[in-house]
Amino acid sequence: MATFAPIALEYAPPETLVQIDVSPRRPAPKPDWLKARAPVGENFHALKKLARDLGLHTVCESAHCPNIGECWNHKTATFMMLGNLCTRRCGFCAVPKGRPEAIDTDEPRRVAQAVAALGLKHAVITSVNRDDDILGGARQFATVIEQIRRQAPGCQVEVLTPDFQGSEEAIRIVVSAAPEILNHNTETVPRLYRAVRSGSKYERSLRFLEYAKTISSLLVTKSGVMAGLGETFDELLDVFRDLARVGVDILTVGQYLRPSRDHLPMARLYTPAEFADLKREALTMGFRHVESGPLVRSSYHAHEQAAATGLMVVQ
């Protein structure tokens, strides 16, 4: 949907024509601190070929991540399971939506094969929402953790999961598989949830993270929040407090970038100084690590985030 310039309405006498400028606004050039490296290089093409050969998807491509060039050149990627079609229609997300095919039970083995081929020490696995088969989706996460343990011994596993509609059984299935990090993104502030996260509930995401800790108190939990969707600074801080209250260990905060005109418009750009302020405030709340910056995404420098909690040695 096109974005139009604001319309200024002024009083006009009857029968007087009022000209309204409806031409689209020209996009302003990106500031230097929001520019990312283009996806080129031998490692980039090799990883892309590996994913294609194994019939795998990466959230890096599906979600149009701006860091794909940097991460793939370092042989780091976030593999996305359960197909490439999401059952929800979040207003911020570029992952395709639609009716998914049956769950591919061999997919976890192939993901683990890719992790082993890349020699990863820290693997990040996510998925689309599969509200058509919640427990089946949870079992895929448990299976991929088991497969990575088998095919890539010593590799630590971080899973970025959907909310499983709050199913305690599904959460228990994933936590019982003992990932090193369980990530579930809150994404935005409660006031904007209906527009930003269709089919999701803020309170449900908080309960998800809290319940996971009751199953395993030693589990490292993580959540991510976007800035720039129309929230206030204080609303962001309130979300941080809620996440700290339910025991979240790692917090990521990044700039929302509109994937296309069909997605929610970006309300504002936060400056690097403002992201630094958010980090400073969040660290006073008790998080073990906070990653905050314009290009920060859930999986950006994930292995370094893990190392900051004392989990592992950086690759």
Side-chain angles (χ1 to χ4, degrees):
M1 183 171 62
T3 302
F4 299 97
I7 298 174
L9 299 179
E10 298 180 357
Y11 171 77
E15 300 182 359
T16 299
L17 295 177
V18 178
Q19 289 188 331
I20 300 174
D21 181 10
V22 295
S23 59
R25 286 178 288 182
R26 291 184 178 180
K30 287 183 180 180
D32 289 341
W33 41 264
L34 202 57
K35 294 177 181 178
R37 183 186 306 174
V40 295
E42 183 178 340
N43 286 344
F44 172 83
H45 294 292
L47 202 157
K48 188 169 186 176
K49 183 178 185 302
L50 175 65
R52 297 296 176 274
D53 289 346
L54 293 174
L56 301 174
H57 300 286
T58 67
V59 75
C60 322
E61 294 176 289
S62 297
H64 301 176
C65 180
N67 303 311
I68 187 171
E70 177 184 352
C71 293
W72 282 29
N73 275 324
H74 287 94
K75 291 187 178 181
T76 60
T78 299
F79 291 99
M80 188 171 72
M81 299 196 306
L82 302 176
N84 195 41
L85 290 174
C86 188
T87 56
R88 298 188 192 176
R89 296 183 176 274
C90 297
F92 70 93
C93 183
V95 174
K97 285 76 175 170
R99 184 187 298 274
E101 297 180 355
I103 291 177
D104 177 2
T105 56
D106 185 58
E107 187 178 46
R109 181 194 62 79
R110 301 197 308 276
V111 169
Q113 184 179 341
V115 168
L118 290 168
L120 299 184
K121 299 300 182 185
H122 186 88
V124 183
I125 314 298
T126 189
S127 80
V128 295
N129 278 284
R130 289 298 301 258
D131 293 323
D132 59 316
D133 190 352
I134 294 168
L135 293 182
R139 293 188 189 101
Q140 286 287 94
F141 275 102
T143 302
V144 79
I145 295 168
E146 176 187 346
Q147 284 289 332
I148 292 172
R149 299 269 191 266
R150 181 178 303 166
Q151 296 192 48
C155 178
Q156 305 227 2
V157 184
E158 175 177 334
V159 292
L160 169 55
T161 75
D163 63 17
F164 301 123
Q165 292 188 6
S167 166
E168 291 187 357
E169 182 180 356
I171 299 169
R172 186 172 289 277
I173 287 171
V174 177
V175 174
S176 296
E180 274 70 29
I181 296 179
L182 175 67
N183 186 357
H184 173 66
N185 285 337
T186 319
E187 303 293 10
T188 190
V189 302
R191 178 174 58 84
L192 300 177
Y193 244 62
R194 181 170 294 182
V196 176
R197 297 197 70 192
S198 175
S200 303
K201 297 179 180 179
Y202 179 74
E203 294 78 11
R204 188 163 69 195
S205 286
L206 288 180
R207 285 198 301 271
F208 176 107
L209 292 160
E210 186 174 32
Y211 182 64
K213 282 282 193 180
T214 67
I215 300 171
S216 174
S217 60
L218 298 179
L219 176 69
V220 175
T221 55
K222 176 177 171 180
S223 192
V225 181
M226 295 178 292
L229 281 159
E231 72 292 323
T232 68
F233 199 89
D234 286 340
E235 283 180 313
L236 285 174
L237 295 183
D238 285 342
V239 172
F240 297 173
R241 292 187 189 97
D242 286 341
L243 292 172
R245 177 178 54 79
V246 297
V248 169
D249 299 285
I250 301 173
L251 173 68
T252 61
V253 190
Q255 174 69 48
Y256 167 66
L257 298 175
R258 191 182 195 184
S260 77
R261 290 186 175 184
D262 295 326
H263 294 84
L264 292 171
M266 180 173 59
R268 61 164 291 195
L269 281 175
Y270 283 66
T271 66
E274 288 174 310
F275 278 108
D277 289 341
L278 288 169
K279 177 174 182 175
R280 188 160 42 249
E281 292 286 342
L283 285 172
T284 67
M285 301 175 191
F287 295 102
R288 293 168 66 180
H289 181 75
V290 177
E291 196 82 18
S292 178
L295 292 175
V296 168
R297 298 296 181 267
S298 295
S299 306
Y300 186 52
H301 293 175
H303 57 290
E304 295 175 4
Q305 296 172 25
T309 67
L311 273 176
M312 60 171 285
V313 177
V314 178
Q315 295 183 72

